[in-house]
Amino acid sequence: MTTAVDRDALRTTQRVGDRVFFTATIVAGSLILAVLAAVAIFLFGQSIPAFLAVPEDFDPGVSNFWAYVWPLAFGTLWSALLALIMAIPVAIGIALFISHYAPRKVSQGLGYIIDLLAAVPSVVFGLWGIGVLAPMLQPFYSTLVEWFGWFPLFAGPVSGTGRTIFTVAIVLAVMVLPIITAISREVFLQTPVLHEEAALALGATRWEMITMAVLPFGRAGIISAAMLGLGRALGETMAVAMVLSPSPQVIFQLLTSQNPTTIAANIALNFPEAHGVGVNILLATGLILFVITLAVNMLARYIINRRKAFSGAN
């Protein structure tokens, strides 16, 4: 039989546990903010000499830091955007197939394969892009330029190696595919069964049920998945550095031998040989990438907060 003393001791133990857990969560959350602030302060402090650098500290033809970083920022955003355009429809289709079409055994096996794809190192993707994808796509690029060269994005001359910004975008799309697919799949599986059954009871087909119940419910989750994939694509280094033949200029053509490079790849390729102000310039480009990533995540959070009352985000 539990006495009053035992009950008081139990309440005291529970209160101590609650206080310890509450304190641990506060410390963990504060630690994240402290690390983020420390990274930002370090990058900003190291970037000041780059902002004040003279033209002699840059490559020939570059007058200041902003002229140096603009093509890199463009290449970063351009390659990530192309990757998302290709990855999002495929990822949503795979997630819907796993969650609403495939038999249970097939969906489980396919889900494991998709999750396993996220564990493949970026160096392996880079080797695959160089050794398999680029040579395989080069004849297709030649045909594309021959037939659609009048369109600005497909204007020639075509690359003879296939190592173009479009190849990099395909590699990035494959790399972000597991992230978007896994999150979208979990969101679709959380759709209330009553919503799906109500749509079917009204005479909707399975696809109409998905468009009326599943996709609206998972809209915010899809946006979150896409932003996480975008963050991976923006910061990818080795695959881009290995596949791309970089050229520090703003080029919209997708299939030529001259291609814009990314901030992360530029840092990886040039940091071992950098010295003096050159190191500060590379760190300053890292600060720009930090700001771009932060802005993308803030925009995604704003979009999700606007739509979460009408979707599965609440």
Side-chain angles (χ1 to χ4, degrees), residues 17-42:
D18 290 341
R19 287 196 294 268
V20 171
F21 181 75
F22 177 76
T23 303
T25 56
I26 293 296
V27 171
S30 302
L31 183 62
I32 292 296
L33 295 177
V35 171
L36 188 65
V39 171
I41 293 172
F42 168 77

Side-chain angles (χ1 to χ4, degrees), residues 149-160:
W150 50 268
F151 190 66
L153 293 180
F154 302 136
V158 66
S159 171

Side-chain angles (χ1 to χ4, degrees), residues 84 88 176 179-184 220-231 304:
L84 281 189
I88 290 177
V176 304
I179 300 174
I180 304 176
T181 302
I183 297 177
S184 300
I222 295 173
I223 296 174
S224 300
M227 291 303 104
L228 286 176
L230 178 60
I304 293 170

Side-chain angles (χ1 to χ4, degrees), residues 17-303:
D18 290 341
R19 287 196 294 268
V20 171
F21 181 75
F22 177 76
T23 303
T25 56
I26 293 296
V27 171
S30 302
L31 183 62
I32 292 296
L33 295 177
V35 171
L36 188 65
V39 171
I41 293 172
F42 168 77
L43 289 176
F44 183 78
Q46 294 292 322
S47 301
I48 293 177
F51 298 146
L52 304 177
V54 296
E56 288 75 13
D57 296 324
F58 298 95
D59 297 333
V62 180
S63 58
N64 54 56
F65 171 75
W66 301 110
Y68 175 81
V69 75
W70 161 239
L72 303 177
F74 168 79
T76 302
L77 293 173
W78 184 230
S79 60
L81 178 62
L82 293 172
L84 281 189
I85 291 174
M86 290 183 284
I88 290 177
V90 177
I92 294 176
I94 296 174
L96 287 174
F97 176 76
I98 293 175
S99 60
H100 287 83
Y101 284 94
R104 181 177 297 273
K105 292 184 179 180
V106 175
S107 63
Q108 289 179 349
L110 187 58
Y112 293 149
I113 294 174
I114 294 297
D115 295 338
L116 183 63
L117 191 62
V120 178
S122 59
V123 175
V124 175
F125 282 109
L127 293 174
W128 171 69
I130 293 176
V132 178
L133 189 62
M136 182 179 65
L137 290 178
Q138 201 282 328
F140 172 72
Y141 290 164
S142 299
T143 304
L144 202 60
V145 171
E146 181 181 355
W147 289 359
F148 301 101
W150 50 268
F151 190 66
L153 293 180
F154 302 136
V158 66
S159 171
T161 61
R163 298 171 60 179
T164 67
I165 192 69
F166 194 66
T167 304
V168 169
I170 296 175
V171 173
L172 292 178
V174 175
M175 295 179 70
V176 304
L177 190 65
I179 300 174
I180 304 176
T181 302
I183 297 177
S184 300
R185 177 191 64 201
E186 296 303 321
V187 172
F188 294 157
L189 289 174
Q190 294 176 11
T191 305
V193 178
L194 290 177
H195 293 187
E196 298 180 358
E197 292 178 348
L200 294 174
L202 292 174
T205 63
R206 180 176 296 185
W207 171 244
E208 290 173 339
M209 177 270 293
I210 289 174
T211 58
M212 291 189 296
V214 179
L215 292 179
F217 179 86
R219 184 179 295 114
I222 295 173
I223 296 174
S224 300
M227 291 303 104
L228 286 176
L230 178 60
R232 171 72 188 275
L234 288 174
E236 179 52 42
T237 304
M238 289 307 301
V240 178
M242 295 172 66
V243 175
L244 199 62
S245 299
S247 177
Q249 51 186 317
V250 176
I251 303 174
F252 284 93
Q253 284 81 5
L254 302 177
L255 309 177
T256 62
S257 57
Q258 293 183 328
N259 303 277
T261 188
T262 64
I263 293 176
N266 182 70
I267 295 175
L269 292 174
N270 294 320
F271 198 86
E273 300 178 357
H275 62 278
V277 182
V279 176
N280 300 103
I281 293 174
L282 294 178
L283 290 175
T285 60
L287 176 64
I288 300 301
L289 180 60
F290 180 84
V291 172
I292 292 174
T293 306
L294 184 62
V296 167
N297 283 277
M298 291 176 63
L299 177 62
R301 180 59 56 186
Y302 172 74
I303 296 174

